Each structure stands twice: as structure tokens, then as C-alpha cells.
Amino acid sequence: MNLVGRRLTRSALSHCLTAAGLLLVNALCGHHASAQSRTTGGTTRTASVAAAHFTLQIDGAIRTPDGARLIQLDSAAIRARPQQTVTTHTPWHDGTMTFSGPRLWDLLEPLKPTGKSLHITALNDYSVDIPLSDLQRYQPVLAWQLNGKALSVRDKGPLFLIYPFDAHPELHNQLYYGRSIWQIKRITIE
């Protein structure tokens, strides 16, 4: 079958791809594949993924032991860091939500940031600038989970910067709501 130049539906793609390829499509589309088995021509393939995989790039005014000016943290590295939870109301959700992930300061501090601000960019190239002092003062979380489930791109994931809005009433304004960027792909320290 010639697939070049053809527009494929998700269904057609899943028939053409191996189990590993299907997992990649699901991750890129923001879907989470549950454990499933498919028998094709006497061969059983199992596809299982607990959460989407992602990569966060960090660059700019950082100091790493090897002198690198850019580092990439994959989802496993971010999930391996000490996790914090923030239970708060947000303008984007109904009711109180619980977000989990590492504190952004805890993630950046080992890189010895020398700048004064962060330029954070989302998957769609939207970006915000945040003073580095926010990280120490409010300790926002770089959330990858919402209410115990991994955030998909569709649900503002894979990474969503969450301030503890309920713990600090002064955060209830457009300035801080605007700094709570989601679908984060890159952080540049300036």
C-alpha cells in the first residue's frame, strides 16, 4: 500500500503501525493507550503506556558540571524528582484540583541559574516571562499530573506551571493566571 501523499485517519494509522508506532501516535496525539492486545496473523502484540512521554528543554544562563548550555529532561527524569502537590482552584477548572510534579525551583536550582527571569515556551510557541523570584516566593509546581492522572496535551499537558492560588490570595489576578503556562516545552533562563 502506498501511503506517501495520502491523508490517513487515526484508524488507518493504527492498522499500519506496529505496537510501538501506535504508542508513539497516541503519545503525540495526547491519548493514553490502555493495556490492549491485538492478534494479527497469529501474532499477539501488547500495547501499554501509563503516561505520555515528553521532553523539557532548559537553556540560557545555567551552569552545568560539564558546561552544557542546554539540557533535556525526559518525562522519566521529571517524574523521578521529588514530587509536590498543590490543591487549588484555577480559572480553567471547576472545583478544587490537585496538581502534582516537582517544584520548578527544585528542578532549576541544581543548574545554578544566573539570570533574573524565565522565558517559558509552550508547544504552540506561546510564551511568557516570569521573574525567577516567583519560584522562591510562591514555589509553583511544574505539574505533570492532575488528580492523579498524567496530563495529556488535550488537558493542558504534558507540563503545566501551577501557582498555589488558594494559599496566596494575591495571586488571584490576570498577571499570575497568565504566568501559569501550560503545554510547556522549553524554559530559557535570561
Side-chain angles (χ1 to χ4, degrees):
M1 178 189 301
N2 181 2
L3 299 178
V4 178
R6 283 190 149 175
R7 191 170 185 188
L8 297 175
T9 65
R10 189 157 194 259
S11 174
L13 278 174
S14 36
H15 291 292
C16 296
L17 298 173
T18 65
L22 181 57
L23 290 175
L24 178 60
V25 168
N26 282 334
L28 292 173
C29 294
H31 301 287
H32 302 290
S34 58
Q36 54 181 281
S37 294
R38 179 182 298 186
T39 304
T40 308
T43 305
T44 301
R45 295 180 293 166
T46 301
S48 174
V49 81
H53 297 283
F54 55 85
T55 301
L56 173 65
Q57 294 183 357
I58 303 172
D59 66 354
I62 58 175
R63 290 180 277 165
T64 62
D66 63 358
R69 302 300 288 168
L70 169 84
I71 66 161
Q72 295 188 36
L73 298 175
D74 66 10
S75 52
I78 290 173
R79 291 177 182 133
R81 302 291 172 115
Q83 303 292 295
Q84 305 297 321
T85 59
V86 171
T87 301
T88 191
H89 289 86
T90 77
W92 312 284
H93 302 91
D94 293 328
T96 303
M97 299 287 146
T98 300
F99 298 88
S100 302
R103 287 190 187 113
L104 185 52
W105 175 248
D106 294 344
L107 199 65
L108 297 178
E109 194 271 333
L111 301 174
K112 301 181 183 353
T114 58
K116 300 238 184 249
S117 67
L118 307 174
H119 183 77
I120 304 179
T121 307
L123 294 173
N124 66 358
D125 292 326
Y126 172 81
S127 62
V128 297
D129 293 315
I130 298 172
L132 200 58
S133 59
D134 268 16
L135 304 187
Q136 294 171 336
R137 183 173 182 190
Y138 298 115
Q139 301 192 18
V141 167
L142 191 60
W144 63 272
Q145 276 189 322
L146 172 60
N147 295 333
K149 294 182 182 176
L151 285 164
S152 69
V153 171
R154 181 180 297 161
D155 296 322
K156 300 181 175 28
L159 296 170
F160 189 169
L161 185 64
I162 291 293
Y163 283 78
F165 295 110
D166 288 357
H168 299 277
E170 70 271 22
L171 297 177
H172 290 275
N173 62 64
Q174 290 304 317
L175 176 66
Y176 291 99
Y177 295 152
R179 290 179 182 174
S180 288
I181 184 171
W182 54 77
Q183 297 178 338
I184 297 169
K185 70 174 179 180
R186 186 177 197 122
I187 299 173
T188 301
I189 291 112
E190 301 177 328

